[in-house]
Amino acid sequence: MLIHHPLLGPRDASEFVYKGDAALIHRPDWQSEDAQAQFADYGYLRDNPAGPLRELWFHEQGDRSWLVVTRDTTSHEITSVELASDVARREARAT
Amino acid sequence: MHDLRAITPLGRSEPVVEVHGTVTMTEVTDVALASVAARRGREPETLAALERVLGDAPPAPGCLGGKTLTAFWMGPDLWMIEAPNDTHEDLAAQLAALSSGAMSVTEQTDAWCRFDLTGERLADVFERLCAANIRAFQGGEAVRTTIHHLGCYILCRTPAHMSVIGARSSAGSLHHALRTALVSAL
Amino acid sequence: MTGVNRLDGGLIDRTKPMRFTFDGIGFTGFEGDTLASALLANDVRLMGRSFKYHRPRGPMTSGSEEPNALVALRSGARKEPNTRATTAELFAGLSATSQNRWPSLRWDAMAVNDRLSQFFAAGFYYKTFMWPAAFWEKVYEPIIRRAAGLGTLSHEPDPDSYDKGFLHCDLLVIGTGPSGLMAALTAARAGADVIIADEDFLPGGRLSAETHMIEGQSGAAWAAASVAELQALPNVRVMTRSTVIGAFDHGIYGVVERVSDHLKEPFAGKPRQILWRVYSKRAILAAGATERPIVFENNDRPGIMLASAVRAYVNRWAVTPARQVAIFTNNDDGHRTARDLAAKGVDVTAVIDTRLDAPTSADYQVIAGGVVVQTWGRLGLTQIEVRTPKGESLRIPCGALGVSGGWNPNVHLTCHQGARPVWNDTIAAFVPGNSLPPGLIPTGAADGAFSTYEALSSGQKAAHVALSDLGIPHKVSDLPEAEDAPVNITPFWHVASAKRAWVDQQNDVTAKDVQLAHQENFVSVEHLKRYTTLGMATDQGKTSNTAGLAIMADIAGKSIPEVGTTMFRPPYTPTAIGVLAGRARDEDFRPIRKTPSHVWAEEQGAVFVEVGMWLRAQWFPKPGETHWRQSVDREVLQTRKSVGICDVTTLGKIDVQGTDAAAFLNKVYCNGFAQLPVGRTRYGLMLREDAIAMDDGTAARLAEDHFVVTTTTANAVPVYRHMEFVRQCLFPDMDVQLISTTEAWAQFAVAGPKSRALLQQIIDPPFDISNDAFPFMACAEITVTGGLRARLFRISFSGELAFEIAVPTRYGDALMRRMMDVGAGFDVVAYGTEALSVMRIEKGHAAGNELNGTTTALNLGMGRMVSKKKDAIGSTLSEREGLTEGDALKLVGLKPVDPDHNVPAGAHLMTKGATVSAANDQGYVTSACFSPNLGCHIGLAYLKSGDSRMGEIIRLVSPLTGVDHDVEVVSAHFVDPKGERLRA
Amino acid sequence: MRYSGFNVIKQALSGHKGWGPAWRDVTPKESYDYVIIGGGGHGLATAYYLAKQFKQSRIAVLEKGWIGGGNVGRNTTIIRSNYLLDGNQPFYEFSLQLWEGLEQELNYNAMVSQRGILNLIHSDAQRDAFIRRGNAMILHGADAELLSTRQILRRYPFLNVNNARFPIQGGLAQHRGGTVRHDAVAWGYARAADQCGVDIIQNCEVTGFRIENGTCLGVETTQGFIGTKKVAACVAGSSSRLMALAGMRLPIESHVLQAFVSEGLKPVLPGVITFGAGHFYCSQSDKGGLVFGGDIDGYNSYAQRGNLPVVEDVCEGGMAIFPMLGRARLLRMWGGIMDMSMDGSPIIDKTHIDGLYFNGGWCYGGFKATPASGYVYAHLLATDTPHHTAAAYRFDRFAKGRMIDEKGVGNQPNLH
């Protein structure tokens, strides 16, 4: 596979390490009422869709950026790639 | 002045130089390295400081640049500065002094080994080593990728002069891989 | 002229004769021959035996789709089993042997299977060999296994090497036939970066095998001229002997180039083959088409081959498989073979055409509406029986029969990403379907365009599409003149009456087997394949799948597409495993990482051990020491008595800087770091979000905004990755920067009561390392040996008064030598990883065996370290009930009751008196060693409620290694439990 | 007709006219007592044991394609019970015992071949871990033996011991492990279940669940609504897709695992061998093909195909221990969709919806589990209590911190 790095252009996926669903960016609040339940869901439950999935890839053999890659799990087609830090900041502000 | 004698990444007292066909491969040990990362919110100061050091704007992603000193892009707001070791053995300290806490500087000189390949048909060699599109390089490119399971920076100073920078501890394996490709491709 | 069957002409070099042997018999062929063409030229048709019935077989094809003519090429360590004689390029001195026969190819004892064939119907083995149960492994299976399989491996290491490479292009053209060449010329002339690859050693595809004219010259000449033009262009790479094995995601293709297979052996330092990973923006599939046979009684005798193969042997290799040849066809293309044979003076004894309206000929007899119903010739075809439409039967003599059932487009690569081909009635074949691999454009015969003109025009069109996609300007140029014959075919798949009629020749699947599969409800194509093994042989059903489907459709009363479609998976043709592995084998399997003191350690005769990629000194044998324990015990005792030095550079080091550095470490470590003063170091335990211990290490605060974090050797990479995740994804607004400095500093542990005295000889004054000035857990940036920058940490893994000192890596070797020199006066000793491990076990420090991915802070006895006052990764989930139970495993020490007993790691623990069973399992030993200080074996273990069982005698069992004795539960801190030494 | 050597000969002499269909093609009834979703090995085994062992009836198996077309037909055919943890070991040992009597039980030769499985050891830490594992196996009543390098070389003389980057220091063997003809498992269970009256319905895809006030009343399918008392989901890689129709999120990710087979070769590998310092395991099929595999590709995928890097990684592992493999040829590569769970262990449990049961999260270990999975799932369906060997496979083990993590890599499915 090829991942179009937002800064470096197309790079072979073998340079990256995969983590999983980009929902992992949204870590629950440790002080909330049901924190333990929230962390259990956060840690263990996944949508695992057959179709577009936002997922985290780490450019370990590249620039060490974490990326949010939107990839179709049935066709492997990649439709968008962003720096995870940009996504995290944007979505942290949004919530 | 201290009296400890340095050894090269390949474990010798002198750098190793080899000629294979049209290409000369040289172990480079006389370059000091330091990484510079911009502190959050202080990117402009960092850019300015680096511009003073390099005599040019810090290189863009995927690039190698600089005039008075050279540098290459390592990551977002992160660069590696190259300088002659004899004049800049404590390069990190020199750079840190340039800006009051605007940037995080880390000494990198001995974290790496470097092999320079000079001569013709370098693309024929590198296409057996890594996925980077070396044939399209014109000079000024700096990519990080893997060579035989080793993470390396590949710097194109000119199409006839490439530097491969890899982890110092595996200098032997990297040198072996480069030599094998030279023999195989040329 | 060598070879009784050699004709005039052809694309071989008659000035270069080559000697070769087959089953020990010498023959001569020419450069440009394949093994098959050279053998046929010498009137050898019998080249192999079939998989199941051991039927005599000769080549059916002239290419990589060959199911029958498989031989063992070369000998000794270079022996290549199952090599297709039809693609093996002849070289001087080639030696090949036949396979799957005993004692000889002509007289094969296993051919008795053929006589018993009715007992070996499809799937018979699922129905028997069940009684008695024990007989399967002992009797039935060994017999079946010996009978099965084809060639044999050499059992010797492959002496050749393989390269991998990476290529980039705008357009990859797959195939050098008319459409491929036209596409490449069009794109290359427009300036695109083009790679054109073909599996054959001679470019041209079918043009090399036909008598077609293109622009007044022979097709072969046109191909040669086109290739010459392409090779002259700087933006084109022409790759012959290069098979595109697979179409992978995002325009990446795997291409295997056979660099040296046409040589006796590779040149020194050169690879046998290269696996190219080709990154293409667009690709054009011009892989052509493959002719398919008709299924009739005994249609597998040597000499019965595809009509197109006969034509290829005649035209390209100037060989006729026999002096008398007949043709059996259901389409016009079969007649082309008859014409080419006749033109070369070969006796065409008949053309049997299943169509009543078959074209006639003045040169040979045409039996319109006829079918072949039987053949004769045990080791080679001698004659055939034909039934005419009037029902009369004729015997026709022939040494070869060319069969043409129509052509299948080579759609394989279009299927590699899940697309299924679709049926096309006009050519009665599957053509590329929808949802093809993105960027892949099928063209020419591969797309069902069978005439030469169609191939040229579709190739040009495909190139235009690709160029437009890439935004490369181009102009339409005229196409060369070429034949444009229509496809006239009336589908005819099998002779209805035929039973022992082969569908899959290599796997011996007959029409009867397909019938039986249907009868037992294995109707879908997937079930048909798996039950009968149709299409599972080394040719992957290239010549058999369609006929199998057609026969099943016929029996089931369905249409072919209703029964299913053919499906192809990579690789396109079988690929040497060696080339997929490349250089990564033997010592080069993975890189080697060496420590700064490696050269010195080698000089000391150290024994090295693999620790991940690292090679570390395990111990340093001294003269007279015959057992490793002697060396290790000495290193331990001497270190605890005076001073020892160990290279600990392999520990991961991460530079953490920024105004939020301390706040960041508060997140990644379960214990607190905000209050750590500058100039001090603290132990840190890092948890995964699921509360399991991920790693431990120390963080030294060099400045308010600067820490140096250490990780274990094994976890340096995952910990750095995790910290970047926390930084970039979880707390992106923190001002913190991370970078690994593991290799920048050579770091040595200097441990033992005399460590301070030794270091005082190294460290530049006035820096004071007295206990007051530089207490336990202090750290500082200093200089040594007269001005060399260094870092000093007062930390101890051994439990002794100890320091770790770091200098720039290039000076590590010299520092080690210097410390050993000045240390001589202090009875210094170098110690390796074994002594390191012994001392940390004696001290009860956890390491990899304790941090095994299932242990919590509580298990480690560090439950209280998990701060409740702050948010840290893993702290919330650490409170789950399953992780906080009363009888949770706790880290304890173990001592044998009988001091002569050992405490083996991996042993399990039972309460004394309880029966030995999983139900009574109380825990297990994680690490163990002989402690020279205690004079007995000791171990660390996880024990249920271990912290409250000190002094208890429990039973240690290791049934696997035959150990069963009592041990005492003690504190894990065997040595200096109060920690007075390390604070001294 | 009963399968036997006698009947094979009898049929051979009469043109094989007497063999009937291995299972009937049926159209679904309006309702069943049990509807099992998924005509793979686990689903068919569940149906068989429900009918045979637990004397239940009115059972249907719904398969969206052709039976046996999923992972049971695209795996590397290995069976073993060399597990470490209490939650797993008894279950896989139970499965191995069921394998041992399977052919006689089903009257179908699935070629269960106990040729032994060997895990190679390359470091002291690995040895410690394997000794602990071997002891756990023996304590649970399974077989295990620690082999020296010399013992290993006697059986595998061509292993690369001395010239290797990571020298082989021994191995942990389970002699009762081995291989099975994978397709035959699905066909054997299908035929046996069919003979017990189970309806096997192919080309019948479940498109939804009919759930009313917390109770599942049946399933909507491409062949219409089918009512039932109990619905048993058993669809491996498609688990998340299916259960989403019931509004459930699972502790599961779907990943692609590639498998490989070489050209047919005369016998060279007597047993199953696993490389401990790389990603490679290999056995040889009765037809002579070397069947091998390695790690999953590592990214979520529902495409039954992988990519080159893992192919190369696996072949590197192969060459590292068998340098003679260089001249053997890879014939075919394919991919299966693995239901990778959050701790690497399966889930066999009721859901919070009455009448809806779940079996999944098998990672790449599903094939060897087939008989026990079917048996314990049938037990749960018939008795509403978990079988004692599968009591730990609960949904709530994650929230409660009772993970069953053999590899110790945590909630990172692509590492299990």
CSV table of all heavy atoms in Angstrom, one decimal, chain B residues 1-2 6 17 20 33-34 38 41 46 48 55 78 102 119 123-124 127 130 143 152 161 163 169 173:
chain,number,residue,atom,x,y,z
B,1,MET,N,42.6,19.4,27.1
B,1,MET,CA,42.1,18.5,26.1
B,1,MET,C,42.2,17.0,26.5
B,1,MET,O,43.2,16.6,27.1
B,1,MET,CB,42.9,18.7,24.8
B,1,MET,CG,42.3,18.0,23.6
B,1,MET,SD,40.6,18.4,23.4
B,1,MET,CE,40.0,16.9,22.4
B,2,HIS,N,41.1,16.3,26.4
B,2,HIS,CA,41.1,14.9,26.9
B,2,HIS,C,41.9,14.1,25.9
B,2,HIS,O,42.3,14.5,24.8
B,2,HIS,CB,39.6,14.4,26.9
B,2,HIS,CG,39.0,14.2,25.5
B,2,HIS,ND1,39.3,13.1,24.8
B,2,HIS,CD2,38.3,15.0,24.8
B,2,HIS,CE1,38.6,13.1,23.6
B,2,HIS,NE2,38.0,14.3,23.6
B,6,ALA,N,39.2,8.2,19.7
B,6,ALA,CA,37.9,7.8,19.1
B,6,ALA,C,38.1,6.6,18.1
B,6,ALA,O,39.1,6.5,17.6
B,6,ALA,CB,37.3,9.0,18.3
B,17,VAL,N,37.5,3.3,3.3
B,17,VAL,CA,37.2,3.7,2.0
B,17,VAL,C,37.3,2.6,1.0
B,17,VAL,O,38.3,1.8,1.1
B,17,VAL,CB,38.2,4.9,1.5
B,17,VAL,CG1,37.8,5.4,0.1
B,17,VAL,CG2,38.2,6.0,2.5
B,20,HIS,N,34.2,0.5,-5.7
B,20,HIS,CA,33.6,-0.6,-6.5
B,20,HIS,C,33.1,-0.1,-7.8
B,20,HIS,O,32.3,0.8,-7.9
B,20,HIS,CB,32.3,-1.1,-5.7
B,20,HIS,CG,32.6,-1.7,-4.4
B,20,HIS,ND1,33.0,-3.0,-4.2
B,20,HIS,CD2,32.7,-1.2,-3.1
B,20,HIS,CE1,33.2,-3.3,-2.9
B,20,HIS,NE2,33.0,-2.2,-2.2
B,33,LEU,N,26.7,16.4,14.5
B,33,LEU,CA,25.3,16.4,14.2
B,33,LEU,C,24.6,16.9,15.5
B,33,LEU,O,25.0,16.5,16.6
B,33,LEU,CB,24.8,15.1,13.8
B,33,LEU,CG,25.3,14.5,12.5
B,33,LEU,CD1,24.8,13.0,12.4
B,33,LEU,CD2,24.9,15.3,11.3
B,34,ALA,N,23.6,17.7,15.3
B,34,ALA,CA,22.7,18.0,16.4
B,34,ALA,C,21.3,18.2,15.8
B,34,ALA,O,21.1,18.8,14.8
B,34,ALA,CB,23.1,19.3,17.1
B,38,ALA,N,11.7,22.9,17.3
B,38,ALA,CA,11.1,24.1,17.7
B,38,ALA,C,10.2,23.8,18.9
B,38,ALA,O,9.4,22.9,18.9
B,38,ALA,CB,10.3,24.7,16.6
B,41,GLY,N,4.9,26.9,19.9
B,41,GLY,CA,4.6,28.3,20.0
B,41,GLY,C,5.8,29.2,19.7
B,41,GLY,O,5.6,30.4,19.6
B,46,THR,N,12.7,29.9,16.2
B,46,THR,CA,13.5,28.8,15.8
B,46,THR,C,14.0,28.9,14.4
B,46,THR,O,15.1,28.8,14.0
B,46,THR,CB,12.8,27.4,16.0
B,46,THR,OG1,12.3,27.3,17.3
B,46,THR,CG2,13.7,26.3,15.7
B,48,ALA,N,14.1,31.6,12.6
B,48,ALA,CA,15.0,32.7,12.5
B,48,ALA,C,16.4,32.3,12.9
B,48,ALA,O,17.4,32.5,12.3
B,48,ALA,CB,14.5,33.9,13.3
B,55,GLY,N,22.6,30.2,7.1
B,55,GLY,CA,22.8,31.2,6.0
B,55,GLY,C,21.7,31.0,5.0
B,55,GLY,O,21.8,31.4,3.8
B,78,LEU,N,11.4,20.0,13.0
B,78,LEU,CA,12.6,19.2,13.5
B,78,LEU,C,13.6,19.1,12.4
B,78,LEU,O,13.3,18.6,11.3
B,78,LEU,CB,12.1,17.9,14.0
B,78,LEU,CG,13.2,16.9,14.5
B,78,LEU,CD1,13.9,17.5,15.7
B,78,LEU,CD2,12.6,15.5,14.9
B,102,ALA,N,14.0,28.7,22.9
B,102,ALA,CA,13.0,28.6,21.8
B,102,ALA,C,13.1,27.3,21.2
B,102,ALA,O,12.1,26.8,20.6
B,102,ALA,CB,13.3,29.7,20.8
B,119,GLY,N,30.2,8.9,-7.4
B,119,GLY,CA,30.5,8.3,-8.7
B,119,GLY,C,29.3,8.2,-9.6
B,119,GLY,O,28.2,8.8,-9.3
B,123,ALA,N,22.1,5.6,-9.0
B,123,ALA,CA,20.7,5.1,-9.0
B,123,ALA,C,20.6,3.6,-9.2
B,123,ALA,O,19.7,3.0,-8.6
B,123,ALA,CB,19.9,5.9,-10.1
B,124,ASP,N,21.5,3.1,-10.0
B,124,ASP,CA,21.4,1.6,-10.2
B,124,ASP,C,21.7,0.9,-8.9
B,124,ASP,O,21.2,-0.3,-8.7
B,124,ASP,CB,22.5,1.2,-11.2
B,124,ASP,CG,22.2,1.7,-12.6
B,124,ASP,OD1,21.1,2.2,-12.8
B,124,ASP,OD2,23.1,1.6,-13.5
B,127,GLU,N,18.5,1.6,-6.3
B,127,GLU,CA,17.2,0.9,-6.6
B,127,GLU,C,17.3,-0.5,-6.1
B,127,GLU,O,16.2,-1.2,-6.0
B,127,GLU,CB,16.9,1.0,-8.1
B,127,GLU,CG,17.8,0.1,-9.0
B,127,GLU,CD,17.5,0.2,-10.4
B,127,GLU,OE1,16.8,1.2,-10.8
B,127,GLU,OE2,18.0,-0.6,-11.2
B,130,CYS,N,16.5,0.6,-1.6
B,130,CYS,CA,15.4,1.3,-0.9
B,130,CYS,C,14.4,1.8,-1.9
B,130,CYS,O,14.6,1.8,-3.1
B,130,CYS,CB,16.0,2.5,-0.1
B,130,CYS,SG,16.6,3.8,-1.2
B,143,VAL,N,15.6,11.9,2.4
B,143,VAL,CA,14.5,11.0,2.7
B,143,VAL,C,14.9,10.1,3.8
B,143,VAL,O,16.1,9.6,3.8
B,143,VAL,CB,13.9,10.2,1.5
B,143,VAL,CG1,13.4,11.1,0.5
B,143,VAL,CG2,15.0,9.3,1.0
B,152,CYS,N,17.2,4.5,7.7
B,152,CYS,CA,18.4,5.4,7.3
B,152,CYS,C,17.9,6.7,6.7
B,152,CYS,O,16.8,6.7,6.1
B,152,CYS,CB,19.1,4.7,6.1
B,152,CYS,SG,19.9,3.1,6.6
B,161,HIS,N,26.7,12.2,-5.7
B,161,HIS,CA,27.2,12.2,-4.3
B,161,HIS,C,26.0,12.0,-3.3
B,161,HIS,O,25.3,13.0,-3.1
B,161,HIS,CB,28.0,13.5,-4.0
B,161,HIS,CG,28.5,13.5,-2.6
B,161,HIS,ND1,29.1,14.7,-2.1
B,161,HIS,CD2,28.6,12.6,-1.6
B,161,HIS,CE1,29.5,14.4,-0.8
B,161,HIS,NE2,29.2,13.2,-0.5
B,163,SER,N,24.7,10.6,0.5
B,163,SER,CA,25.1,10.2,1.9
B,163,SER,C,24.0,9.2,2.4
B,163,SER,O,22.9,9.5,2.3
B,163,SER,CB,25.2,11.4,2.8
B,163,SER,OG,26.3,12.2,2.3
B,169,SER,N,25.2,1.8,15.7
B,169,SER,CA,25.4,0.4,16.3
B,169,SER,C,25.4,-0.6,15.1
B,169,SER,O,26.0,-1.7,15.2
B,169,SER,CB,24.4,0.1,17.3
B,169,SER,OG,23.1,0.0,16.7
B,173,SER,N,26.4,-3.8,9.5
B,173,SER,CA,25.3,-4.4,8.7
B,173,SER,C,25.0,-3.4,7.5
B,173,SER,O,24.8,-3.9,6.4
B,173,SER,CB,24.1,-4.6,9.5
B,173,SER,OG,24.3,-5.6,10.5
